[in-house]
Amino acid sequence: MEKVKTVNYASPQTTITVTGAELATVLGGTSAIQPGTIYTFYNRITTKSGKTYDVNNTGNNSGSGLVTGFYYHSAFSFSAYVVCPFVAPIAGTYIVLQDDWADWKKNDLVQVTDGPGPNQVNLSQVYPNPAYGTVVKPLIVYVDPATGTASIPKTNFGNYGSGYNMTAVGTGAKNASGYVAGYVFSCTGYITLTMELKADGPGGNGYDAGPTKLILQKQ
């Protein structure tokens, strides 16, 4: 683990940032930074008395959630992707690395298709799994060609029966294409999306699965 930089505490609004140039300096040059790669940064707090606090010595205090809980909003680590431009085609067979919705198990193989428009990815063969539900509308991911940032507008993608008529929408900031959901990196064949899945399609029972992560890797 290498030290990237020191940030002096100035106020409760102190912001910790890392530039690509700073990361490259630590790793030995720009050639060491690979597009589509995720980097995790760990923060160490040093007090005026010289005491240090980080993920190694600051636990959850018997369930208090100091590190992982949402009450404290602690920032002992954060992750960032090195983005890469999106260049189609990206269709093919993908392995499931994570599916919080549990339509698929880890290591299952699924099919991702291109389009229907430019800079779009079609997940209608992923959600819903045909063993559990039927497609209402194709689940289309809109991709920023410059960065690979993925957005999903609210879409009634699948009906699983018994009132589970599901919609999906990105959980991030709103933009012209929908709501930011993650990234689609054609340079590495990596798709990571976080969507809110809710049964609020016609006749839906209102069930809300909350933020649901799907991660796929092209084979």
Side-chain angles (χ1 to χ4, degrees), residues 124 127-137 156-161 165:
S124 60
Y127 282 171
N129 182 330
Y132 305 132
T134 57
V135 173
V136 179
K137 295 180 180 179
N156 183 194
F157 71 91
N159 194 334
Y160 292 75
N165 191 7

Side-chain angles (χ1 to χ4, degrees), residues 94-176:
Y94 285 71
I95 190 170
V96 176
L97 301 183
Q98 182 176 338
D99 178 14
D100 291 348
W101 181 230
D103 260 20
W104 305 92
K105 300 187 300 296
K106 185 176 180 179
N107 297 325
D108 278 348
L109 297 179
V110 296
Q111 297 299 311
V112 172
T113 56
D114 293 306
N119 303 316
Q120 293 180 351
V121 177
N122 189 328
L123 297 182
S124 60
Q125 295 186 52
V126 180
Y127 282 171
N129 182 330
Y132 305 132
T134 57
V135 173
V136 179
K137 295 180 180 179
L139 181 54
I140 304 299
V141 180
Y142 296 74
V143 187
D144 180 348
T147 66
T149 300
S151 301
I152 299 176
K154 186 174 182 179
T155 305
N156 183 194
F157 71 91
N159 194 334
Y160 292 75
S162 300
Y164 291 94
N165 191 7
M166 305 301 297
T167 65
V169 64
T171 58
K174 189 178 189 303
N175 59 28

Side-chain angles (χ1 to χ4, degrees), residues 9 27 34 146 152 184 208:
Y9 178 83
L27 297 180
Q34 300 299 316
I152 299 176
V184 175
D208 191 348

Side-chain angles (χ1 to χ4, degrees), residues 75-93:
F76 287 101
S77 68
F78 64 94
S79 298
Y81 286 96
V82 178
V83 300
C84 63
F86 176 79
V87 181
I90 196 172
T93 300

Side-chain angles (χ1 to χ4, degrees), residues 4 16 20 27 40 49 64 81 99 104 114 129 163 172 188 195:
V4 177
I16 300 174
L27 297 180
T40 300
S49 65
S64 70
Y81 286 96
D99 178 14
W104 305 92
D114 293 306
N129 182 330
T188 57
M195 301 165 276

